[in-house]
Structures are given as structure tokens and as C-alpha cells.
Amino acid sequence: MVMLDILVRNFKKDSIIVAHFDHGTRESSKLDAQFVRKKAAEYGLKFTTDGAELGEKISEEKAREARYNFLQKVAGENGVIYTAHHLDDLLETILINLIRGTGWRGLAVLNADGIQRPLLDSEIVYEPMDKQAIFEYAAKRRLEFREDPTNSSDQYLRNRIREQFNEFEIEFERKLEIWRLWQKQKQLKKEIDQSFTEILPVTGQTWERKWFKNLDQNVAIELLRAGTLRAGSRLTRPQLEDFRQAILSYSTGKSFNLPGDKLVKFSRRDFKLEDV
């Protein structure tokens, strides 16, 4: 609601669509949809909604996938999705990625194309807002909002991490230090991806196996990550490591399946990514 209020004060109303997705994970979610519809009407904004019955046991990943499929459909080819991620969300996400061993890319989070996060990284907000700043803004503007009761559930890793953060009471300036590092990391990721895109073969061209024989494991995985993404195949780190091992050990004539209907065929000297 804070993000919506900020957007209304900075953009023309006819350029804003309030899009609400009901995950169907709890009984009170229908009340959320009614509340958002009412607030959109009060602001004089377009409103659209959709939903699914995902159930209480659904993972955050599956819920996120369903939500963003809906948001991207609403935004279309030329629209931009605005989400209310804030500074504390950033810290939680970075820590979750570090716990999961995602490597340096886990620091360049919340960075997808076509998504803007005005509470975290925008010219229309003077500095990134944490949860306390959001509550202060809501109180000053007398904004109504609803709290998701699952935010206090220890079923999710994010909530358990949030509870630890609350106990530490991290100062805002320390949060800003991490935010500045995040900005640098996003730019570094962009530059690395750009360099890889320029040097790596595309689908149908060959890759020399000797490239990978003497490469550091992490460097090899980064090369494979960039190359497979360019080919339209998104792999997890374990899958990338399996791919690297296949490059090092597979004999001539063997093949390796990749997500996204891609197939890797090996010869003695090189390998090639092909569409299935």
C-alpha cells in the first residue's frame, strides 16, 4: 500500500494497473483481494485479479512462479512490473542465498529484467526504505493495510531468518552498506554476463572441451551458466557441475540432456548444444 501511494503521487493514474494474485493458500486471502480492489477504486485506478488454489503446503518458489506468470501477463510486452520489495527483503534474500551456497550471484538478487522495486532502488524514493520506514510512511499518510498472517509462521526459512534479524536490530546505516555492495554486485554481474555473451558459442556451434580441463571449478561453472542461459536452458548449480563433469569424462558419441529441450553431443575434442 505504501508503494501504491508513492506511485500514485509520481505517475499518471491511467498508466497504473493494480494487479492482485490470490494464491489460495489460506482462507483469509479472499479478504485481501477484496481489500485491494476497494483501495484501487478509492485511488481511481484500474484493477485486475486472478488466483489459484495452491494450498497451504505450497513452496514459496511455486507460489512466486504462479504470481509472476500472472503479473507478466498483465504487464504484456511493454509494461513494467512494480513490486514492494524493501531493504529488509534484500538482506533476507542475500542471506538465504548464502545459506544455500549460491555463490557470488546470490548477492546480485532482485535484479530481474522488467521489474522495478521503487522502495529499494528508484529515483522517486530518496533512499531505500526498510520495514520501519514503511510503517512510518503508512502512519504519516494514514494508510490502511493488511498483514499476511503467514509472515509469522516458522514454516518458511525467510520468516525464521527475519526473526533473527529482528533480534539483532541492525542499524539502518549497516543495511545501507549492504545495499551499496548490492548495487556494485548487480553492475559486476551485468559486466560478466556481457563478456560471456560475447565470447561463448551459441546453440549449434561447438565448444572446445580443452577449455574446461584446466579451469577452476567455479570459473567453469560460470562459463557454463552463461552459455546455457544464452541457449535458453536454466540450470541449477548441481546440474551445472554434472555438466562440467560430463565435459571432463564423457566419451565420443555420448550425449547429455539439458533443461529446455537441449541436448549436448560430445566428440573427442569438442561438444555442441543442439535443440531436441
Side-chain angles (χ1 to χ4, degrees), residues 153-164:
S153 169
D154 61 1
Q155 175 183 346
Y156 301 106
L157 174 61
R158 180 177 297 275
N159 292 349
R160 297 195 295 272
I161 289 175
R162 183 177 299 143
E163 184 177 348
Q164 295 293 321

Side-chain angles (χ1 to χ4, degrees), residues 75-138:
E77 293 185 5
N78 300 317
V80 177
I81 297 169
Y82 284 79
T83 68
H85 291 100
H86 50 77
L87 191 52
D88 291 327
D89 288 330
L90 174 66
L91 269 63
E92 292 166 7
T93 304
I94 289 175
L95 185 53
I96 287 171
N97 284 345
L98 292 176
I99 290 173
R100 290 174 173 170
T102 56
W104 70 269
R105 286 180 179 269
L107 303 178
V109 294
L110 303 180
N111 193 32
D113 293 335
I115 300 176
Q116 296 289 328
R117 298 175 172 86
L119 307 186
L120 187 58
D121 186 14
S122 172
E123 294 179 357
I124 65 176
V125 177
Y126 175 68
E127 64 181 0
M129 299 176 70
D130 63 1
K131 199 64 177 284
Q132 180 178 343
I134 289 171
F135 279 127
E136 290 173 355
Y137 183 102

Side-chain angles (χ1 to χ4, degrees), residues 232-249:
S233 185
R234 184 178 296 275
L235 279 68
T236 64
R237 187 176 179 88
Q239 288 173 325
L240 289 166
E241 174 58 17
D242 288 343
F243 190 4
R244 187 182 76 91
Q245 291 295 333
I247 294 169
L248 298 177
S249 62

